[in-house]
Amino acid sequence: MADVVQYRLEKTLIELEDLERKGIFSRAELAEIVKKRRKFEYSLKRPSPLKQDYLTFIDYEKHLHQLRCLRARSIARELKESGTKKRLKKSVSDDAGILRILGIFRLAVMRFKGDIDLWFRYLEFCREHGHGRMKKV
């Protein structure tokens, strides 16, 4: 169980390094993010995870993605106001949050196949973010 959790956390390392390099999150904030994600991952890997475990993880990731977007816009605005022609380039961390949320939703709907409310939340999230996965779902 610990190996799976560690593997999933290690997959986010590139994204976290990118967020620090861009100045969106500090090292202390990233450590807190990893700590929270580890807690959520362990709750999903227990013998019988609850639907609420998945939903709280999804909510956390949604809020984290919104915060990342706000901070990225703020940094872009500061760069624009300072008069430099430098812009934030699109990178790994821009799409990683959405893809992680979609992955958690996929795990949740596979675990709770008959839960129509969960399926509608999944579809609504795909529609809101214009992700092509809605066709696949």
Side-chain angles (χ1 to χ4, degrees):
M1 178 165 79
D3 294 339
V4 175
V5 171
Q6 188 64 28
Y7 172 73
R8 287 182 57 104
L9 290 173
E10 286 176 4
K11 282 182 19 179
T12 67
L13 185 62
I14 295 170
E15 169 205 352
L16 296 173
E17 288 174 347
D18 187 45
L19 289 170
E20 184 182 17
R21 184 181 49 77
K22 285 182 169 182
I24 294 175
F25 290 115
S26 67
R27 186 169 286 279
E29 289 171 324
L30 292 174
E32 187 64 30
I33 290 170
V34 170
K35 189 173 155 183
K36 284 250 197 197
R37 282 183 180 166
R38 180 175 284 121
K39 183 185 81 143
F40 286 125
E41 290 287 348
Y42 272 114
S43 70
L44 297 185
K45 289 298 174 193
R46 64 184 184 189
S48 57
L50 304 172
K51 176 182 163 185
Q52 191 59 37
D53 295 334
Y54 290 97
L55 294 177
T56 54
F57 194 11
I58 289 167
D59 286 339
Y60 173 75
E61 288 294 337
K62 281 182 180 180
H63 291 301
L64 189 63
H65 179 69
Q66 289 171 348
L67 179 61
R68 189 204 63 77
C69 289
L70 287 173
R71 288 189 179 180
R73 274 190 234 127
S74 174
I75 291 171
R77 190 178 325 114
E78 287 174 8
L79 287 173
K80 187 177 177 183
E81 289 173 358
S82 68
T84 61
K85 304 238 177 186
K86 189 176 178 184
R87 292 181 55 195
L88 287 178
K89 294 181 181 176
K90 191 163 177 75
S91 63
V92 175
S93 63
D94 294 336
D95 295 329
I98 299 293
L99 293 176
R100 185 173 308 99
I101 294 168
L102 289 171
I104 299 167
F105 263 124
R106 187 182 50 77
L107 290 173
V109 296
M110 291 299 120
R111 174 86 177 158
F112 303 100
K113 290 180 173 77
D115 192 340
I116 301 298
D117 180 51
L118 189 60
W119 279 99
F120 280 128
R121 286 183 187 199
Y122 187 17
L123 290 169
E124 183 65 25
F125 182 79
C126 290
R127 187 184 63 78
E128 285 174 1
H129 294 280
H131 201 275
R133 187 163 303 179
M134 189 169 183
K135 295 174 188 171
K136 195 174 183 181
V137 174

